[in-house]
Amino acid sequence: MRIVRKDFVRNGPGSVKMVPVDSDDLWFAYNLIAPGDSVMAATVRKVLREAASGGRDAERIKLKLEITVEAVDYDKVGSVLRIRGKNILENEYVKIGAFHTLELELNRPFVLRKKVWDSLALDVLHQASDPGASADLAVILMQEGLAHIFLIGRSMTTTRSRIETSIPRKHGPAIAGYETALKKFFENVLQAFLKHVDFNVVRCAVIASPGFTKDQFHKHLLLEAERRQLRPIIENKSRIMLVHTSSGYKHSLREVLDAPNVMNMIKDTKAAQEVRALKDFFDMLSNDPARACYGPKHVDVAHDRMAVQTLLITDDLFRNADVETRQKYVNLVNSVKDSGGTVHIFSSMHVSGDQLAQLTGIAAILRFPLPDLEDIEM
């Protein structure tokens, strides 16, 4: 995110003008913009004009509007953020109070005004504008006949390609057809790799699969790169890693992110820290269950007793339409930090955030055991 101008008071009102540069930035904007804020941006609106013939002509006019936010919708496929609300900027074409939907797109500036820039909003703004925080890991997750290419950014995991090829069985008279189909499948994956994996952006590319599929594809990739002189692959072959997984489907991304050689490459990124924190939580839950809890009620009680050492919480909980509920979670995060604890805010667009969401979206590792928490209803 490119910040053009900042003019606000911490825990007070103000505005920020910013330009989203990649799809991660739109996700940050989705987490920043809340009902009650106002957003100003250029937009296009259909306007009816009186024609000379006495009829009315529709014309599309570009104008600048500022709306009070009522609803925010993120379209991850089209990389567009839609903000619906009432216009508050005097305009000859749009009345004050008229409803309008602004579409925020990449490389288009907008101004966000808030009545209160709380600590959570400032954290999101800092992460969005920190160029060193990007994880940007490419993962080719495959099994025979099926491959997915994922890009793991700072705040979201996107599926860039899915390749499926029917491969006959290895045994009997079909063996010749097997070799041909496998070669065709590898060629399709190679083309998708060249299209979607940019080594100027990603730190490393991981090829992961059960069995030997990853090794066969890696060999094919390097041989073809030498034969066709594919410079991006030849120059970056040391940044291509192999990892064993149980399948070629998205849920196996957890195994990729857990792999020590991958973790070393991305260890200083937010995505890696989330994976580690969640692994620590599950380890604690199985080895010393009295020192781990989840669910809003249990975490609240543990916090009241000053027991929370590490708080794990999904960004979904901060998008609550109810201002009081959002403020409650903001206060909890601040309070845990003030008492010397660590807080990890998980992106619901990452596989680790998805896992945490299945555990109510909030969990904690405790400083000391609280065995009586089990007796309190969630």
Side-chain angles (χ1 to χ4, degrees), residues 13 42 58 65 83 130 141 148 156 161 174 187 263 280 327 358:
L65 288 184
I83 301 161
D130 177 9
L141 206 49
H148 291 91
M156 60 197 295
S161 184
E187 181 53 35
M263 190 58 91
D280 291 346
Q327 196 55 49
Q358 289 166 22

Side-chain angles (χ1 to χ4, degrees), residues 95-212:
K95 291 177 184 168
I96 283 187
F99 275 101
H100 186 78
T101 301
L102 287 177
E103 289 199 348
L104 301 186
E105 296 177 358
L106 295 181
N107 302 310
R108 291 204 182 162
F110 68 94
V111 178
L112 171 63
R113 288 183 215 285
K114 283 179 174 289
K115 288 172 186 160
V116 178
W117 283 88
D118 59 30
S119 58
L120 183 86
L122 296 177
D123 270 358
V124 174
L125 193 64
H126 174 70
Q127 284 174 35
S129 56
D130 177 9
S134 179
D136 287 319
L137 174 72
V139 180
I140 299 89
L141 206 49
M142 59 199 308
Q143 58 192 52
E144 271 192 7
L146 173 72
H148 291 91
I149 295 184
F150 299 103
L151 283 187
I152 301 174
R154 279 173 293 181
S155 56
M156 60 197 295
T157 300
T158 48
T159 308
R160 301 315 297 259
S161 184
R162 177 187 166 100
I163 303 105
E164 235 176 322
T165 307
S166 177
I167 294 183
R169 286 166 61 179
K170 226 177 194 175
H171 310 290
I175 186 78
Y178 168 82
E179 294 292 344
T180 309
L182 192 66
K183 196 168 180 184
K184 183 187 170 193
F185 169 59
F186 283 165
E187 181 53 35
N188 292 343
V189 179
L190 171 60
Q191 290 306 323
F193 184 99
L194 291 170
K195 183 178 177 184
H196 297 290
V197 179
D198 178 359
F199 280 103
N200 294 322
V201 177
V202 302
R203 296 188 178 199
C204 64
V206 178
I207 303 169
S209 78
F212 295 105

Side-chain angles (χ1 to χ4, degrees), residues 325-357:
T325 307
R326 175 191 156 89
Q327 196 55 49
K328 184 185 96 172
Y329 287 122
V330 171
N331 292 343
L332 175 65
V333 165
N334 288 340
S335 186
V336 168
K337 285 180 179 174
D338 290 344
S339 61
T342 309
V343 177
H344 293 282
I345 298 173
F346 283 62
S347 167
S348 51
M349 295 289 277
H350 271 322
V351 68
S352 49
D354 204 26
Q355 250 185 304
L356 184 58

